[in-house]
Amino acid sequence: QVQLVESGGGLVQAGGSLRLSCAASGRTFSSYYMGWFRQAPGKERESVAAISYRGGSTSYADSVQGRFTISRDNTKNTVYLQMNSLKPEDTAVYYCAARRSIVTAYDYWGQGTQVTVSS
């Protein structure tokens, strides 16, 4: 069982930056493939970024490629999402999630953190 708690959301002007954090409980954090998702009002949840167990492999949605960076610190049981050059269309609730492998569904989800980008 993994419990995930996101933090770091807030209100920022377009062009600004935020760093989201997701702290995981338990001692097997490094056994989970981690991802960040977001859901804007009236839209479906979408994948933003993902990172492999030790951080050696990352992937990004086209819409955030080059602006967002996912990273993890397994010694702190934490995954991060550095968001730069934010745009109003990045406004959403951001969730982190964990799964056992790249071929399984995400099993564990955080409660989400709101990111609002003003124009």
Side-chain angles (χ1 to χ4, degrees):
Q1 191 86 7
V2 176
Q3 292 185 326
L4 304 172
V5 179
E6 302 97 335
S7 62
L11 174 64
V12 64
Q13 289 188 332
S17 298
L18 281 175
R19 188 176 83 155
L20 305 183
S21 299
C22 173
S25 65
R27 292 178 286 182
T28 59
F29 177 68
S30 60
S31 300
Y32 290 89
Y33 195 93
M34 301 298 297
W36 283 98
F37 293 76
R38 68 186 181 187
Q39 187 166 21
K43 296 187 176 181
E44 293 187 354
R45 184 174 61 196
E46 63 173 345
S47 175
V48 174
I51 189 166
S52 59
Y53 307 109
R54 297 182 181 180
S57 176
T58 59
S59 62
Y60 298 92
D62 289 344
S63 58
V64 307
Q65 181 77 47
R67 299 187 298 122
F68 291 12
T69 302
I70 188 171
S71 62
R72 68 190 295 165
D73 185 340
N74 288 346
T75 66
K76 297 182 179 180
N77 283 9
T78 302
V79 62
Y80 304 97
L81 186 68
Q82 177 67 44
M83 306 186 294
N84 299 328
S85 303
L86 283 160
K87 305 175 181 180
E89 51 264 43
D90 294 319
T91 295
V93 177
Y94 284 71
Y95 301 89
C96 70
R99 58 180 174 175
R100 281 290 191 182
S101 79
I102 197 172
V103 297
T104 60
Y106 281 93
D107 298 311
Y108 304 102
W109 294 82
Q111 83 290 348
T113 186
Q114 177 71 47
V115 171
T116 303
V117 184
S118 63
S119 57

